Each structure stands twice: as structure tokens, then as C-alpha cells.
Amino acid sequence: MKPISVDGRPTLLRWPRDEAAHLDFPWEVWWVTAEVESVAGRRFAAHFMASHTAGRMMRIHVSLREMDDGPLLSRHLKSASAVAGIATDRLSLRAPLGSFYGSFADGYRVAGDLEGSGGFDLALDPASPVLLNGGAGSFLLGEAVTTQYSVPGLRVSGKILIGRESHQVEGSAWYDRQWIRHGRFSDTGGAFAWFGVVLTDGRAVSLWDTSVRPGGGSTWATVLQPDGTHIVTTAETEVIGGEAISSESGQTIPHGWVLSMPGIDARLQVRHRLAQESSRTFYTGVLEVTGTVAGDSVQGRGFCDLVG
């Protein structure tokens, strides 16, 4: 197994092994969100997230929503027996309500079944380098040693079902992969905001804000340049005024944020377009992005996870 390299630098990741599950690790997650559009111009967001806890309990969530204020269609699974559907020699997660499999080399496939109300079956073709968070793929999050890599540029094609209506769609997606090798998820501090942004100038940004943790924390970003090089920079987040968003679980979510990254002279405004998943302690949203990098105007798309 060859390690992934960025500009010839080694990382702590080895593929294909690290695309597969590590059931002996305390916690790991696979996260995919896609924005797609049909030939008729209807726009949708599809979301898949799977995680396990020490190989004993599996959690899977799939959701689908039409971008123009459509209802959120979602299903959840929490089951010990579902762990049997995870492969440890390749990326392959399969359960009755959703699946995710494939490889960076050959492309991925993600599917969700929403029990007659809808579903999706999408092919994901990597169109960007891998983003290694922290520059090498591993960093300290709270008291937990965390590994995270992302594939921010994925070309998407496939099928969306809304009721009995089938829509052929194309678009883009972000795939995020994370695990804790030592410690527990609670060791992360239990509260953070994460933003994944893809800009029209070819850059991708993964930004962590852990300042809301008890005792405080840091805010920093990993910037993937179009040629695959990485810049790790300090960052700041500032809540934008405006009407707050009410999530599906009744939580109040800020209208948006300003993300500042001095390492690339960037100031980005990210605003909510769509709530994709929500619970009392976890929220995923789809964002629109505008701003400047080194004085040049940029636009883009993005996603956020708000935890705790």
C-alpha cells in the first residue's frame, strides 16, 4: 500500500487501506453532501452520513431536499447489526436505507432510500486533489488525535426520486472522511463549527472553529490550492446579522458568517441556502459563498456542520 503524497511529502494516510473502515478505532465517520440539478432546472441536495462507535454501533442518516423550499425527507438508522455491512479491506458501507462505496482512483457511488417518499443514486467522480486537513491529514481536536481528509471536488451524475418522479441530475459534491485513533468523540470537546467551501478560483477550504468549546479553542483553515499544494492558516469567524434560520429540530441557526483567513488574504461571506440535517446537537447546512481572495472577487458553494 502506497502512502498518499502531496508534492512529494508523506502523510499519515495509506490508501486503499484508509479508505476502508477501522472497526477497532473509537469513532469514525463518512460524510457526503451533493448539490445537483435536473435537465428541467429543479435543484436538489442529497446527504449521506455514516459513523460507528468502536465497531459496536452503526449510525446512518440519509436525507434529500429540493432546494426551493421543498420538505426535508430523511431516515435514520442506529443498529449494532448494521456494522456487518461495513467492509474492512475496501470502502464499502451497505445498509437497507443507504450505501456508499468505491475509491478515489475509480470513483464513488452513494445511494439513499427514503421509503417511498424519495431517494437518490449518484455516481461521484473525483475532479480535485485530496485535501489533507492540517496539511498532513492529522491534528489535535480537543484532547483527541483526529484524522480527516476531504475530496472537495466531485462531479456528480445520477438519479433523484421525489415520490414516483425520477429526475436525471448532474452537479457537484463534497466527501469528508474522519476518525479518532485514540480517545473518544467526547474528547473533541463536544462543540465546534466546521465549514467546507469550494471557490470559483479553484481553491477549496476546510475551516474548523473550536472556540465555542468549554475552555475555548482555536480557529484555523486548511486551503487546498488548484495545483494540490496546501496552506494552513489561522482564521476567524464572525456571525452575520440578519434573520436566523430555524432548523428542523427547532434550533436557531445564524443567518451566516464571515470567514477571514489572513494566510491567503481572504474574507468570505457564507450564508445559508438550505438546512439538510438537524437534531438537538447536530446540524448540517448548504451554503452560498461570496467574498474576496487577495483582492479578487470570488464566489462558491459550501457546507457547514454545527455540533453541540
Side-chain angles (χ1 to χ4, degrees):
M1 295 182 292
K2 290 185 177 181
I4 310 171
S5 66
V6 177
D7 304 327
R9 293 182 285 113
T11 79
L12 300 177
L13 300 173
R14 289 183 176 271
W15 283 7
R17 174 61 191 95
D18 282 335
E19 290 207 278
H22 308 87
L23 295 182
D24 55 335
F25 286 4
W27 174 86
E28 66 181 330
V29 65
W30 298 259
W31 183 105
V32 179
T33 299
E35 283 189 71
V36 294
E37 184 172 343
S38 72
V39 175
R42 293 176 67 174
R43 298 177 301 136
F44 307 91
H47 178 67
F48 172 95
M49 184 171 71
S51 66
H52 74 81
T53 307
R56 293 190 294 269
M57 181 62 67
M58 188 75 186
R59 292 173 174 83
I60 298 177
H61 172 86
V62 295
S63 64
L64 175 64
R65 193 167 199 171
E66 190 158 5
M67 297 293 287
D68 297 323
D69 298 323
L72 178 64
L73 310 175
S74 65
R75 286 182 70 191
H76 300 264
L77 169 70
K78 180 180 178 181
S79 170
S81 63
V83 175
I86 309 178
T88 57
D89 61 341
R90 65 195 184 283
L91 173 57
S92 180
L93 313 174
R94 299 177 188 269
L97 62 79
S99 61
F100 180 48
Y101 56 92
S103 69
F104 181 79
D106 299 322
Y108 305 101
R109 194 101 184 185
V110 65
D113 179 0
L114 294 159
E115 288 189 315
S117 60
F120 53 89
D121 185 359
L122 304 173
L124 314 176
D125 180 26
S128 76
V130 175
L131 189 158
L132 302 170
N133 281 262
S138 289
F139 55 94
L140 194 63
L141 183 61
E143 301 301 320
V145 177
T146 300
T147 297
Q148 182 192 21
Y149 68 82
S150 308
V151 186
L154 287 162
R155 288 189 294 261
V156 180
S157 62
K159 181 173 65 175
I160 294 285
L161 289 174
I162 299 293
R164 296 183 179 181
E165 294 183 1
S166 178
H167 305 272
Q168 291 298 125
V169 295
E170 294 184 344
S172 58
W174 182 297
Y175 164 40
D176 208 70
R177 175 89 163 89
Q178 187 178 354
W179 63 80
I180 294 173
R181 188 182 299 268
H182 303 292
R184 300 165 298 175
F185 182 77
S186 59
D187 294 336
T188 65
F192 55 80
W194 171 83
F195 301 89
V197 171
V198 178
L199 299 174
T200 49
D201 67 0
R203 290 182 174 94
V205 178
S206 175
L207 186 151
W208 284 88
D209 181 354
T210 64
S211 63
V212 295
R213 293 173 56 245
S218 59
T219 304
W220 55 280
T222 307
V223 182
L224 174 66
Q225 304 283 82
D227 64 358
T229 58
H230 287 54
I231 297 172
V232 181
T233 173
T234 58
E236 295 181 1
T237 65
E238 176 186 351
V239 172
I240 296 175
E243 184 178 353
I245 305 298
S246 294
S247 72
E248 298 293 324
S249 65
Q251 300 284 16
T252 300
I253 307 300
H255 173 69
W257 294 262
V258 174
L259 311 180
S260 300
M261 291 163 278
I264 59 169
D265 187 19
R267 184 175 173 85
L268 305 176
Q269 293 186 350
V270 298
R271 291 183 171 86
H272 280 287
R273 296 173 61 198
L274 191 72
Q276 188 61 18
E277 178 191 358
S278 180
S279 69
R280 279 192 312 109
T281 59
F282 192 98
Y283 172 88
T284 292
V286 178
L287 310 170
E288 63 179 7
V289 183
T290 59
T292 60
V293 178
D296 295 328
S297 296
V298 293
Q299 294 181 320
R301 58 182 175 82
F303 311 95
C304 69
D305 280 345
L306 308 179
V307 177

